Amino acid sequence: MTELAIDYCGEWFEPAQDAAFGIGREGDLAIDENPYLHRRFLEVARYDGIWWLSNVGSMISATIADGSGGMQAWLAPGARIPLVFGLTTVVFTAGPTTYEFSVHLRTPAFKHQAQDAEADGETTIGPVVFTDSQKALIVALAEPMLRREGTGFSAIPSSAEAARRLGWALTRFNRKLDNVCDKLDRVGVAGLRGGGGKLAMNRRARLVEHAVTSHLVTAADLPLLDKMKGEAGE
């Protein structure tokens, strides 16, 4: 592997050090012909000895995380972030589809020391505590991505599809989705405020991106879907 390499769907790309590497509907890494995706969405380039990831699109944001999920950032249009970890995961959503690729750096500037997860009850992210049913909702939305396990793409379920998966009424699902997004919004997770229509789609996508890249939910949580299926109450 060269100093920096990108893995998408098992295909590896090695950006040159003296030119910007384009990622989007077209470019050096042509992700997909998805019309919701910018022709040129992201760029990887090296400046002053540092590799950078830049969002050169105008509409879509990306979620960036280190391999442990301990660092996460939301890369909005016009923003850029240094690539300093040995493994960086990049997740973004265009229309109904979520995409993921990973960036591998041979000589990372930083190494994150992961802490053992606590196993004494409800899931806590900072001051946020989730009930089993709230976590099951997140798992239902993230299920296609969790089962895929790796770089590539997957579809985000609609609220109605996720509610059916859990055996819940849609009104109950939407109420719990509001509660989950409000909890995360209060601790600074961006992109979770929104109403109906397109904003509702974006909110579900952002929740999935955050939950998966921060390891809030993992494939080990998939049994929650059956455990909480059809259960009433909060």
Side-chain angles (χ1 to χ4, degrees), residues 126-170:
V128 183
V129 177
F130 293 98
T131 65
D132 280 350
S133 61
Q134 288 172 336
K135 192 171 180 183
L137 176 146
I138 301 171
V139 174
L141 289 172
E143 182 180 12
M145 197 168 178
L146 294 175
R147 292 196 185 280
R148 191 192 68 218
E149 292 187 347
T151 62
F153 55 91
S154 56
I156 295 178
S158 67
S159 292
E161 289 169 338
R164 283 196 298 271
R165 179 71 173 91
L166 290 165
W168 296 355
L170 182 58

Side-chain angles (χ1 to χ4, degrees), residues 22 48-49 63 75 89 109 127 143 161 165 168-169 188 214 216 222 225:
D48 300 323
T63 299
L75 193 66
T89 300
E143 182 180 12
E161 289 169 338
R165 179 71 173 91
W168 296 355
S214 68
L216 171 57
L222 288 168
L225 296 175

Side-chain angles (χ1 to χ4, degrees), residues 77-157:
R80 70 175 186 170
I81 190 170
L83 296 167
V84 296
F85 296 102
L87 171 62
T88 300
T89 300
V90 182
V91 182
F92 57 92
T93 302
T97 307
T98 295
Y99 302 90
E100 178 184 352
F101 65 86
S102 59
V103 182
H104 299 255
L105 194 61
R106 182 181 290 275
T107 55
F110 293 97
K111 294 183 179 180
H112 184 271
Q113 182 65 44
Q115 296 181 347
D116 291 336
E118 296 181 1
D120 58 354
E122 296 169 315
T123 301
T124 304
I125 300 296
V128 183
V129 177
F130 293 98
T131 65
D132 280 350
S133 61
Q134 288 172 336
K135 192 171 180 183
L137 176 146
I138 301 171
V139 174
L141 289 172
E143 182 180 12
M145 197 168 178
L146 294 175
R147 292 196 185 280
R148 191 192 68 218
E149 292 187 347
T151 62
F153 55 91
S154 56
I156 295 178

